[in-house]
Amino acid sequence: MHNAVKVLISEDEIRERVHALGRQIEADYHGKPLTIAAVLTGSLIVLADLIRRIGVPHRIALIQASSYKGATTTATTLVINESFAPDVADRDVLLLDDILDTGQTLSALIRHVNDRGARSVRTAVLLRKIGRQEVPLEPDYCGFTIPNAFVVGYGLDYDDDYRHLPYVGILDGPEATPH
Ligand code: IMP
Ligand code: MG
């Protein structure tokens, strides 16, 4: 059973914005050894739509990052699996995530990719949530800024569901409090 989802960003708005970001990235990375490193699983949908708007050669890397809250401290440990990430040494890496929330994931991945010898590292996010960031980080490319609500669709999940929705929506109902 699905909870009700209220549309926040429509399919048309997403398409238009993703196309614009693609054109911008294409211009910025012209003639550069670009690798787009997408953070699984939420960024898969935006990755597929975005790269078809980037008309310059580029590679794709997939990175899995799972965060675990410490039982006794507030520290978060990020476990990174890069089995599907080709060598990023001397590549211009663009990290792509579905949403910038606390910023913990992307800031750890920036350090990680730098340690791997990337030529440059930038970040792109489809969404940025207001008022949640714990780590200072300005994404280089951002689709939309959204209010502090739990959103699903266009790759974003609640309990691994709702990723297939073609729009971004706010999840309604008693379950919508996963943080
Ligand atoms: P951060 O490290 O807190 O910035 O975590 C970002 C990750 O948290 C994203 O990649 C999402 O997987 C997840 N996340 C944060 N907010 C939401 C949301 O509103 N809906 C779905 N997933 C979210
Ligand atoms: Mg995610």
Side-chain angles (χ1 to χ4, degrees):
M1 246 287 278
H2 282 156
N3 283 359
V5 179
K6 193 174 86 205
V7 177
L8 180 67
I9 309 169
S10 73
E11 202 175 342
D12 285 350
E13 289 174 289
I14 295 171
R15 187 186 311 111
E16 203 173 299
R17 187 71 188 114
V18 170
H19 288 191
L21 287 175
R23 284 193 298 272
Q24 206 184 330
I25 292 165
E26 173 179 312
D28 292 351
Y29 285 93
H30 187 85
K32 294 184 174 167
L34 171 63
T35 294
I36 299 184
V39 185
L40 292 169
T41 302
S43 66
L44 283 180
I45 312 292
V46 64
L47 173 72
D49 284 345
L50 184 68
I51 61 174
R52 284 178 285 176
R53 298 291 149 185
I54 302 176
V56 294
H58 59 278
R59 295 181 186 164
I60 305 300
L62 301 176
I63 300 181
Q64 187 179 41
S66 325
S67 53
Y68 298 95
K69 277 257 188 283
T72 51
T73 65
T74 53
T76 309
T77 313
L78 201 71
V79 177
I80 297 168
N81 175 353
E82 50 193 340
S83 312
F84 299 99
D87 197 2
V88 296
D90 298 321
R91 306 283 303 173
D92 289 304
V93 177
L94 180 60
L95 282 165
L96 173 67
D97 207 352
D98 50 2
I99 187 165
L100 177 64
D101 186 28
T102 66
Q104 300 283 2
T105 309
L106 275 181
S107 62
L109 287 175
I110 291 171
R111 283 195 300 276
H112 184 82
V113 171
N114 267 319
D115 289 348
R116 287 278 185 275
R119 218 169 76 116
S120 71
V121 187
R122 285 187 183 169
T123 55
V125 292
L126 176 71
L127 308 173
R128 179 184 198 172
K129 221 186 265 188
I130 292 290
R132 291 271 309 166
Q133 241 177 286
E134 295 169 2
V135 182
L137 194 167
E138 283 304 312
D140 297 285
Y141 306 91
C142 176
F144 303 90
T145 298
I146 62 164
N148 184 4
F150 196 81
V151 291
V152 295
Y154 198 72
L156 293 117
D157 74 302
Y158 171 68
D159 200 16
D160 249 333
D161 199 357
Y162 301 93
R163 295 193 199 276
H164 63 289
L165 299 176
Y167 52 86
V168 170
I170 297 177
L171 195 61
D172 246 3
E175 285 180 67
T177 49
H179 285 297

